[in-house]
């Protein structure tokens, strides 16, 4: 494909899958103009740092943990849920550091994960058809015409809440939040569950004991506090779906080459918007940020190679993160051809697995859920494939929350389909709750190969 020159606006000449239908061009222009005047949410220094960490990860020296809500919500921009999300990501990262004996890069799906692709543009309830809910950046979840209208000012509202979220995250990280490293702050009540086999319980307890010992050992070294030694860093990410929002934050910065998307450290391109000649690939091929790309088993190896070539023509380290999401049933056959093609091309990528989006099912009552065991199975499948191929399994991507929701079935708590309605709070896809997320991490920890 011939490459025309890139500008922050060149995406506008391409077809955008999942494009939002705004009904008032003047209003859209005014909202985007407002957004374009506002300060950036992240800095180029942080983006460069993340890219260098991802370059290390591509060499097998770091592991990536990416996680958070499917659809972040403005109503949930409150201290409790934000702190709970940081807490679970931090605790999971400790287990993963312990298992892999390498540093873990923590990347939240937060501070901007407000736009959602939908398989159906409209939703019908009791004979009434309205536009689907496309995330708080676009319209509102309520089922009435006014709520479902695409409101351009929500772009500004989303930006503001991303800023508030990020401000709180930065303060927590600065001020002693790192204490939560220690297993005495973890909720390990699921270890008592009768559904847990004695062998698994023993295994989990061993991991907890070892993490505790390691932290105590570091503390005993004395010179510095554990929180200093294990300085906590969080990066942000979201699906770069709404290109009005993203491009208003694509900027140049003083004394650096190129453009940065300053809405987040790492945008990713979704499975539904990764068309080679589409608007999303066009915008993101021009930015300096690392870029994630979701890939299912529907992606042909040739397509994936062309995506890599288009998004990273100079094969820069730390730039491309391929997040495979094939489903437990498809990963073992679907992943090898992609890995073989990328290996043969000699291109640098970081391979991660999102075991959530290929494992969404609907219960008989029509509730969207995911089964803990299917999620584990996709992760194990991906790890086995990478091991057989000699490629580095570089990270995991989860939809999760730090709260006690009932959205996914299974895990030691034995959540069943009947439990789902107890606290089903997601605006879009089902998330692992706090205990399921921690248990998931224990479950995969023993399979992650230590660096030494
Ligand atoms: C998501 O991550 O929320 C998502 C929609 O994923 P995918 O593009 O992989 O379906
Ligand atoms: Co989702």
């Amino acid at each position: 494909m011939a490459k025309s020159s890139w500008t922050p606006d060149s995406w506008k000449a391409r077809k955008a899958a999942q494009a939002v239908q705004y009904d008032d061009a003047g209003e859209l222009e005014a909202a985007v103009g407002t957004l374009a005047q506002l300060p950036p949410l992240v800095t180029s220094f942080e983006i460069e740092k993340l890219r260098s960490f991802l370059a290390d990860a591509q060499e097998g020296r770091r592991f990536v943990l990416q996680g958070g809500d499917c659809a972040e919500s403005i109503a949930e921009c409150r201290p409790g849920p934000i702190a709970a999300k940081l807490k679970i990501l931090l605790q999971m990262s400790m287990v993963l550091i312990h298992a892999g004996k390498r540093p873990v890069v923590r990347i939240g799906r937060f501070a901007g994960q407000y736009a959602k692709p939908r398989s159906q543009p409209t939703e019908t309830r009791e004979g009434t058809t309205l536009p689907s809910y496309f995330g708080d950046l676009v319209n509102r979840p309520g089922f009435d015409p006014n709520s479902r209208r695409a409101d351009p000012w929500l772009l500004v509202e989303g930006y503001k809440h991303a800023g508030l979220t990020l401000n709180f995250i930065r303060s927590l990280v600065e001020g002693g939040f790192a204490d939560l490293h220690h297993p005495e702050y973890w909720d390990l009540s699921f270890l008592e569950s009768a559904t847990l086999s004695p062998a698994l319980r023993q295994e989990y307890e061993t991991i907890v004991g070892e993490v505790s010992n390691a932290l105590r050992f570091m503390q005993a070294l004395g010179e510095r506090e554990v929180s200093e030694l294990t300085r906590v860093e969080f990066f942000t990410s979201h699906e770069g779906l709404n290109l009005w929002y993203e491009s208003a934050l694509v900027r140049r910065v003083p004394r650096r080459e190129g453009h940065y998307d300053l809405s987040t450290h790492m945008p990713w391109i979704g499975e539904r918007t990764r068309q080679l000649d589409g608007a999303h690939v066009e915008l993101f091929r021009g930015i300096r940020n690392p870029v994630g790309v979701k890939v299912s088993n529907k992606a042909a190896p040739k397509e994936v190679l062309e995506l890599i070539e288009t998004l990273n023509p100079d094969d820069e380290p730390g730039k491309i993160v391929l997040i495979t999401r094939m489903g437990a049933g498809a990963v073992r056959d679907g992943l090898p051809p992609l890995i073989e093609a990328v290996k043969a091309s000699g291109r640098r990528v970081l391979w991660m697995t999102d075991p959530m989006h290929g494992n969404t099912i609907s219960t008989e009552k029509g509730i969207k859920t995911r089964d803990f065991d299917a999620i584990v199975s996709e992760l194990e499948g991906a790890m086995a494939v990478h091991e057989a191929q000699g490629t580095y399994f570089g990270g995991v991507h989860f939809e999760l929350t730090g709260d006690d929701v009932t959205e996914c079935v299974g895990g030691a708590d034995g959540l069943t389909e009947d439990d789902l309605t107890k606290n089903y709070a997601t605006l879009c896809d089902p998330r692992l709750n706090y205990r399921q997320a921690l248990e998931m991490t224990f479950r995969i920890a023993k399979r992650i190969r230590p660096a030494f």
Side-chain angles (χ1 to χ4, degrees):
M1 194 174 51
K3 302 261 162 35
S4 43
S5 61
W6 180 92
T7 71
D9 287 328
S10 55
W11 63 272
K12 291 178 185 164
R14 304 289 181 99
K15 185 171 167 10
Q18 299 277 334
V20 174
Q21 304 305 320
Y22 289 105
D23 58 22
D24 183 336
E27 198 186 3
L28 176 62
E29 199 183 322
V32 171
T34 301
L35 204 49
Q37 303 295 317
L38 291 166
L41 293 171
V42 300
T43 67
S44 62
F45 299 95
E46 295 162 343
I47 293 170
E48 289 295 329
K49 189 173 196 181
L50 176 60
R51 213 180 53 220
S52 76
F53 283 179
L54 294 173
D56 283 351
Q58 288 174 339
E59 303 292 327
R61 292 195 299 271
R62 290 180 194 268
F63 189 78
V64 177
L65 169 65
Q66 187 179 15
D69 294 313
C70 177
E72 203 178 6
S73 113
I74 285 176
E76 287 290 285
C77 182
R78 297 186 287 115
I82 297 170
K85 238 176 298 183
L86 287 196
K87 175 175 155 183
I88 183 63
L89 286 172
L90 179 56
Q91 296 176 352
M92 291 167 83
S93 71
M94 293 309 286
V95 175
L96 293 169
I97 292 167
H98 169 73
K101 306 283 182 279
R102 28 167 106 64
V104 167
V105 188
R106 305 172 191 92
I107 308 179
R109 283 177 66 112
F110 51 46
Q113 178 50 23
Y114 293 122
K116 297 308 301 171
R118 301 313 300 257
S119 27
Q120 302 299 332
T122 58
E123 180 181 346
T124 301
R125 288 190 200 171
E126 290 161 9
T128 305
T129 299
L130 291 173
S132 296
Y133 167 63
F134 290 99
D136 282 4
L137 201 60
V138 173
N139 58 5
R140 298 175 176 85
F143 195 73
D144 58 84
N146 196 38
S147 298
R148 291 296 171 92
R149 172 181 178 259
D151 175 356
W153 291 103
L154 290 177
L155 296 168
V156 179
E157 238 0 72
Y159 162 90
K160 287 182 184 166
H161 286 84
L164 296 172
T165 304
L166 203 44
N167 181 57
F168 186 49
I169 291 170
R170 292 193 197 280
S171 320
L172 283 175
V173 166
E174 282 299 306
F177 184 75
D179 275 355
L180 294 171
H181 281 120
H182 206 285
E184 62 198 37
Y185 291 95
W186 302 5
D187 170 5
L188 295 165
S189 55
F190 66 88
L191 291 178
E192 311 306 322
S193 164
T195 62
L196 204 60
S197 75
L200 271 182
R201 179 175 306 125
Q202 176 66 46
E203 216 170 86
Y204 296 170
E205 279 171 354
T206 303
I207 295 173
V208 173
E210 286 174 357
V211 172
S212 292
N213 283 340
L215 287 169
R216 249 180 262 126
F217 175 73
M218 282 168 65
Q219 194 93 59
L221 287 176
E223 295 293 315
R224 287 183 289 171
E225 289 294 311
V226 170
S227 54
E228 252 183 87
L229 283 168
T230 52
R231 228 182 74 74
V232 180
E233 253 170 328
F234 283 92
F235 294 95
T236 64
S237 68
H238 62 250
E239 178 170 351
L241 183 64
N242 190 303
L243 299 180
W244 298 107
Y245 182 77
E246 302 304 327
S247 62
L249 283 143
V250 168
R251 314 256 175 98
R252 296 199 81 115
V253 299
R255 290 178 296 283
R256 280 195 203 275
E257 290 289 308
H259 287 76
Y260 288 81
D261 181 349
L262 298 173
S263 77
T264 187
H265 300 114
M266 185 178 94
W268 77 82
I269 304 176
E271 165 73 6
R272 294 168 190 78
T273 49
R274 55 172 170 69
Q275 297 76 17
L276 261 177
D277 54 354
H280 293 80
V281 169
E282 177 60 20
L283 178 63
F284 293 121
R285 84 179 167 93
I287 60 168
R288 303 285 306 139
N289 309 52
V291 173
V293 187
K294 295 284 206 87
V295 261
S296 75
N297 51 329
K298 289 188 209 139
K302 185 167 166 285
E303 219 181 315
V304 174
L305 290 184
E306 283 173 343
L307 273 168
I308 297 170
E309 166 67 29
T310 305
L311 291 166
N312 189 22
D314 298 329
D315 196 31
E316 280 190 60
K319 173 77 193 180
I320 301 289
V321 180
L322 289 183
I323 308 167
T324 63
R325 32 85 84 220
M326 302 194 169
V331 62
R332 286 166 182 83
D333 292 334
L335 189 50
L338 296 189
I339 297 181
E340 280 157 18
V342 174
K343 265 201 305 194
S345 76
R347 291 304 187 126
R348 268 181 262 250
V349 303
L350 180 71
W351 291 100
M352 289 181 57
T353 291
D354 159 6
M356 311 301 288
H357 287 90
N359 292 307
T360 315
I361 51 173
S362 215
T363 67
E364 267 176 30
K365 295 196 181 110
I367 304 174
K368 257 210 267 186
T369 189
R370 290 163 172 155
D371 182 352
F372 187 89
D373 289 336
I375 297 168
V376 172
S377 169
E378 175 158 2
L379 286 171
E380 289 181 344
M383 286 188 233
V385 170
H386 281 292
E387 194 167 347
Q389 293 280 342
T391 37
Y392 176 55
F393 176 76
V396 284
H397 178 121
F398 292 111
E399 288 186 341
L400 55 78
T401 158
D403 297 315
D404 200 12
V405 301
T406 55
E407 297 168 8
C408 292
V409 296
D413 280 348
L415 278 190
T416 65
E417 289 188 8
D418 290 338
D419 295 319
L420 291 178
T421 48
K422 287 184 185 156
N423 188 18
Y424 194 91
T426 183
L427 287 176
C428 195
D429 290 340
R431 304 160 294 179
L432 295 171
N433 64 26
Y434 173 86
R435 287 191 296 277
Q436 287 170 326
L438 200 51
E439 188 188 354
M440 178 68 59
T441 318
F442 287 150
R443 195 67 167 266
I444 58 175
K446 64 175 187 221
R447 298 209 164 64
I448 286 174
R449 298 229 147 210
F452 55 83

